[in-house]
Amino acid sequence: MSQQISPDLVIRNGLVADGLGSPLRRADVAISGDRIVAVGEVGARGAEEIDAAGALVTPGFVDVHTHYDGQAVWAERFSPSSAHGVTTVVMGNCGVGFAPCRPEDHEVLVSVMEGVEDVPEIVMTTGLDWSWETFPQFLDTLEQRPHDIDFGVYLPHSPLRVYVMGDRGVRREEAQEADLDRMREITREAMRAGALGFATSSVPAHRTGQGEFIPSFQSAETEYLAIAGAMTDTGRGVFQMVLDQRNPADAERFVPMLERISDRTGRTVTFTLTQMMDGPPDAYRSVLAAVSEANRKDGVEIRPQVFPRPMGMLLGIDLTLNPFSLCPSYEPLLKMSVADRVAALRDPDLRARLLVEQPSDPKNPLFVIARDWKRLYPFRTPADYEPPKSTSIAALAAQTGRSPEDIAYDLLLENDGAGMILAAITNYAEATLDAVFEMITHEDTVVALGDGGAHYGLICDASFPTFMLTHWARDRDSQKIELSDAVEALTSRPARLVGLEDRGVIAPGYKADINIIDLDRLQLRMPHIDRDLPGGGRRLNQGAVGYRATLVSGKVIQRDGVPTDALPGRLIRGPQPLTA
């Protein structure tokens, strides 16, 4: 860069992880406008300067699996993602969302989002103005509000089916040729308007608020191929899926299907991969092996998305679930304030009843997991996402001679009723993250699945980038990940997956999305409850200590964990090439 030109901002003396896995190096980073213009020894003074001595400088993190579809409508900030260095998110995953949608179908899509993503109905009915019908109109609505970070959107399958097929789509009837033609037309329209791809789900646990299967469940392969083929017509778009993987032999069934979709349409296919808690704990290896074999074939690209810690949920008195939620004596408490509920639970007579009552039989499998004691762990400061097997509620009960119910009851009442229990749904079959290490370091996988904007009363997984840097790159005793590789997993790899070639790298010409991190101080805060959703809805939130600053398009959006007034985030319309 010419010494005669003064950049807008220079980050001085940081330890730069470039996002490509290169060795870390001490360097300055110069920014003009929204682009990086120089990396190295920058002689020119910037209009603004940030001293990054002793800090790690990384590209902004990218999370390609979130559910901010509603939050993007009613809020300016993509929290908690942006509190953890994330500067780009993709929403519309799992085939749930709010467009396209006719007025008469609002209730259906609200119920789908409520059941699948634990977004309370009152939050959506209060927060959504439904000023759109088509998918392009939805994008236009999102673009009108300023945001703190960038975001892209998938075309979701369940709204598409309902929009095209009406009640037949809700009942999950097979799409006819006329239906497929209309789906192709809408898909082409969505891709040309700026959708980053298409998303769907065939997971049995994904239910509506009434416990029914969602519209996309068990859709035919011909429907997938029709939609993916329409994406091919526009030359853009990723095909995202969440699949039923309960059977260890599922790899023999669904990986060939994913291969056919990618091969016949030229689309990259991405899906969620986990270590299942039931069945052989190493079944994920057969999936990875099948994916690797498929990816060796010309024209095929399949990218499993993996999560770097247990995929789970938090249970508590003020959360969506706890082990006693469906017990008959607990039901009257749901109408009380949290304080009154806690006071009632301290009553010895009520305690005695709840400890022996059996919950009613739920439709949602998550309710069953909430009493699977071997999967449940006390969750206290500091937040521990790899707790020893000896600390599970089942193990503690065996060690002490107490019932699991008794132990769980006391845990929930800790901290004046704010106690939490961690429930491992997947990725923790052997009470260790060794399997996760294999998955997140595999050459074909992408780290993602923060789920920000969803599961407001169950999950706060959007903090995973901080966990990647602290647990995997700094603190774990064995099977650690090189810091440069951890940064690459959070930046350029997910960005490339969805066609965002303009970010995820610290080099001249790339978008100036940057984190300045005090790695020695970096740590997760405990999740807590905020009541800042529309209609007074509550949500789990989680912050971090150690992010000195986060920049989006060259603007500082937070310093030392405190948001600034800058809102430079923008809707991403389609793939973003790196321009000279």
Side-chain angles (χ1 to χ4, degrees), residues 235-277:
R236 58 175 61 182
V238 174
F239 196 98
Q240 184 267 335
M241 305 187 76
V242 188
L243 294 149
D244 182 7
Q245 300 175 49
R246 293 171 298 167
N247 189 322
D250 277 343
E252 300 174 4
R253 174 180 56 82
F254 71 74
V255 173
M257 180 186 70
L258 302 181
E259 180 183 330
R260 287 191 293 272
I261 293 172
S262 183
D263 179 51
R264 296 179 189 180
T265 67
R267 298 298 90 205
T268 297
V269 177
T270 183
F271 70 100
T272 299
L273 175 64
T274 66
Q275 181 197 38
M276 304 304 292
M277 298 290 282

Side-chain angles (χ1 to χ4, degrees), residues 77-149:
R77 302 191 185 280
F78 288 93
S79 64
S81 292
S82 53
H84 297 275
V86 174
T87 56
T88 300
V89 296
V90 180
M91 59 200 197
N93 286 274
C94 302
V96 298
F98 303 115
C101 184
R102 297 185 182 89
E104 58 266 30
D105 295 323
H106 292 173
E107 185 176 338
V108 171
L109 298 195
V110 164
S111 180
V112 170
M113 186 66 79
E114 179 185 27
V116 176
E117 305 301 343
D118 187 38
V119 180
E121 178 185 4
I122 184 63
V123 171
M124 291 179 281
T125 54
T126 304
L128 298 176
D129 61 15
W130 298 104
S131 58
W132 62 88
E133 177 175 317
T134 68
F135 187 84
Q137 289 169 348
F138 180 61
L139 295 186
D140 291 343
T141 297
L142 296 178
E143 201 167 36
Q144 290 171 13
R145 177 185 286 274
H147 294 88
D148 57 351
I149 65 176

Side-chain angles (χ1 to χ4, degrees), residues 84-400:
H84 297 275
V86 174
T87 56
T88 300
V89 296
V90 180
M91 59 200 197
N93 286 274
C94 302
V96 298
F98 303 115
C101 184
R102 297 185 182 89
E104 58 266 30
D105 295 323
H106 292 173
E107 185 176 338
V108 171
L109 298 195
V110 164
S111 180
V112 170
M113 186 66 79
E114 179 185 27
V116 176
E117 305 301 343
D118 187 38
V119 180
E121 178 185 4
I122 184 63
V123 171
M124 291 179 281
T125 54
T126 304
L128 298 176
D129 61 15
W130 298 104
S131 58
W132 62 88
E133 177 175 317
T134 68
F135 187 84
Q137 289 169 348
F138 180 61
L139 295 186
D140 291 343
T141 297
L142 296 178
E143 201 167 36
Q144 290 171 13
R145 177 185 286 274
H147 294 88
D148 57 351
I149 65 176
D150 288 353
F151 59 100
V153 189
Y154 287 140
L155 171 67
H157 195 183
S158 281
L160 175 62
R161 277 197 122 239
V162 175
Y163 191 75
V164 170
M165 299 174 63
D167 288 341
R168 291 187 298 115
V170 176
R171 295 193 300 267
R172 307 184 319 282
E173 294 183 12
E174 184 172 352
Q176 303 303 305
E177 192 57 41
D179 301 322
L180 297 180
D181 285 343
R182 182 67 175 133
M183 288 184 193
R184 292 185 187 99
E185 180 183 349
I186 293 172
T187 300
R188 287 190 288 265
E189 176 186 59
M191 297 305 124
R192 289 168 178 147
L196 290 183
F198 167 84
T200 187
S201 168
S202 62
V203 175
H206 283 174
R207 309 284 185 106
T208 69
Q210 288 73 45
E212 304 300 327
F213 292 121
I214 63 176
S216 69
F217 181 63
Q218 293 181 323
S219 294
E221 183 178 336
T222 52
E223 188 169 331
Y224 297 148
L225 286 168
I227 292 168
M231 294 161 61
T232 303
D233 294 342
T234 67
R236 58 175 61 182
V238 174
F239 196 98
Q240 184 267 335
M241 305 187 76
V242 188
L243 294 149
D244 182 7
Q245 300 175 49
R246 293 171 298 167
N247 189 322
D250 277 343
E252 300 174 4
R253 174 180 56 82
F254 71 74
V255 173
M257 180 186 70
L258 302 181
E259 180 183 330
R260 287 191 293 272
I261 293 172
S262 183
D263 179 51
R264 296 179 189 180
T265 67
R267 298 298 90 205
T268 297
V269 177
T270 183
F271 70 100
T272 299
L273 175 64
T274 66
Q275 181 197 38
M276 304 304 292
M277 298 290 282
D278 302 313
D282 61 349
Y284 65 91
R285 288 177 179 154
S286 64
V287 178
L288 288 173
V291 166
S292 293
E293 183 178 353
N295 281 340
R296 285 195 289 269
K297 301 175 182 178
D298 289 341
V300 174
E301 184 172 2
I302 304 173
R303 298 294 171 201
Q305 293 184 27
V306 295
F307 191 61
R309 66 189 193 206
M311 295 188 75
M313 55 186 178
L314 296 176
L315 311 177
I317 294 170
D318 193 20
L319 300 179
T320 300
L321 288 180
N322 68 64
F324 307 98
S325 293
L326 294 187
C327 291
S329 296
Y330 196 89
E331 185 176 353
L333 277 61
L334 297 174
K335 301 175 183 178
M336 298 180 180
S337 68
V338 176
D340 288 344
R341 196 179 309 165
V342 171
L345 288 168
R346 297 192 187 280
D347 177 71
D349 292 336
L350 177 58
R351 178 185 182 119
R353 293 198 304 274
L354 285 171
L355 292 186
V356 297
E357 285 181 356
Q358 292 300 308
S360 58
D361 186 28
K363 286 187 176 182
N364 194 319
L366 296 182
F367 284 83
V368 177
I369 294 171
R371 288 179 73 90
D372 188 347
W373 308 114
K374 67 182 181 296
R375 299 185 185 209
L376 308 189
Y377 297 83
F379 194 65
R380 303 182 177 107
T381 304
D384 185 0
Y385 292 97
E386 194 173 9
K389 185 176 182 179
S390 60
T391 63
S392 74
I393 290 180
L396 293 173
Q399 295 162 21
T400 62

Side-chain angles (χ1 to χ4, degrees), residues 420-442:
M420 295 183 187
I421 296 170
L422 175 66
I425 300 175
T426 64
N427 283 1
Y428 215 58
E430 300 162 294
T432 173
L433 291 178
D434 290 350
V436 172
F437 177 82
E438 290 185 47
M439 290 189 283
I440 63 178
T441 57
H442 193 276

